[in-house]
Amino acid sequence: MKNIAIFASGSGTNAENIIRYFAESNFIRVAVVLSNKRDAGVHERAKNLSIPSFTFSNAEFEEGVVILNKLAGYHIDLIVLAGFLSMVSPVVVDAYRGKIINIHPALLPKFGGKGMYGHSVYEAVIAAKEMKTGITIHYVNERYDEGVVIFQATCPVLPADTVKDIEKKVHKLEYEYYPQVIEKLLN
C-alpha cells in the first residue's frame, strides 16, 4: 500500500476529491492530512471521511522534526499539496525530494511565485489577456512554483470570462487530473 499525506491550508475541496478518488483503492490511500491552520475546512472534510488530520505551528514546520516524525509514523510515500499556501520547509523538501507535488492554477512558468494563488492568479490571467490557462502539477523544491513540471492541462479563456468563470474551469481540471497524476506517480 502506498501512503499519501495531503498538506492543505484551506477549505479542502481538492483534498476531499483526492481522498474520495482513492477510497476504494487497494494500492493507494490518503493516510493523513496536515495543515498549518487550525480552523482550515480541510480538517472537517478529513474527519467526515475518517482520515486523521493534524495542525502544526509555523515553528514546527520550519524546524521539521515534528512533521518528519508524523510522516514517518504514517509511512508516507508521497506528499501532495492541495491548497497549501506556505513554502515547504527545506528540511521536509530535503527528506522527501522528488516525493512532494503541488498543483498550481495556471500554466507555469506564467503566473507563479509568492502570492500567486486563487483569485490573484485568475485576475492576472485576465489582465494579461491570455487565450488559455489551466493547471500545472509539479514537483516541489525550495522556491515557489519552480519545481520540475509533471503535467499540464489547458482550458480556453474567453473574452467575456470573469474570475469566477476561470475558477470553475480550472477547478474542473484540478478535480479531473490531480488524482490521475498522483495515481500514475505511485504505480
Side-chain angles (χ1 to χ4, degrees), residues 107-153:
L107 300 172
L108 293 174
K110 290 183 176 183
F111 313 112
K114 185 172 176 64
M116 290 303 287
Y117 59 88
H119 287 182
S120 62
V121 173
Y122 311 135
E123 289 166 358
V125 166
I126 290 171
K129 298 185 182 341
E130 293 291 318
M131 303 281 289
K132 66 180 179 179
T133 191
I135 60 167
T136 302
I137 299 169
H138 63 92
Y139 287 106
V140 171
N141 63 19
E142 295 82 5
R143 292 173 302 283
Y144 282 111
D145 302 325
E146 292 185 19
V148 173
V149 171
I150 301 164
F151 175 85
Q152 290 185 313

Side-chain angles (χ1 to χ4, degrees), residues 11-12 30 32 38 43 46-47 115 119 132 145 151 155 158 177:
S11 68
V30 175
V32 65
R38 191 168 309 286
H43 293 298
K47 179 182 172 187
H119 287 182
K132 66 180 179 179
D145 302 325
F151 175 85
C155 59
L158 304 175
Y177 290 110

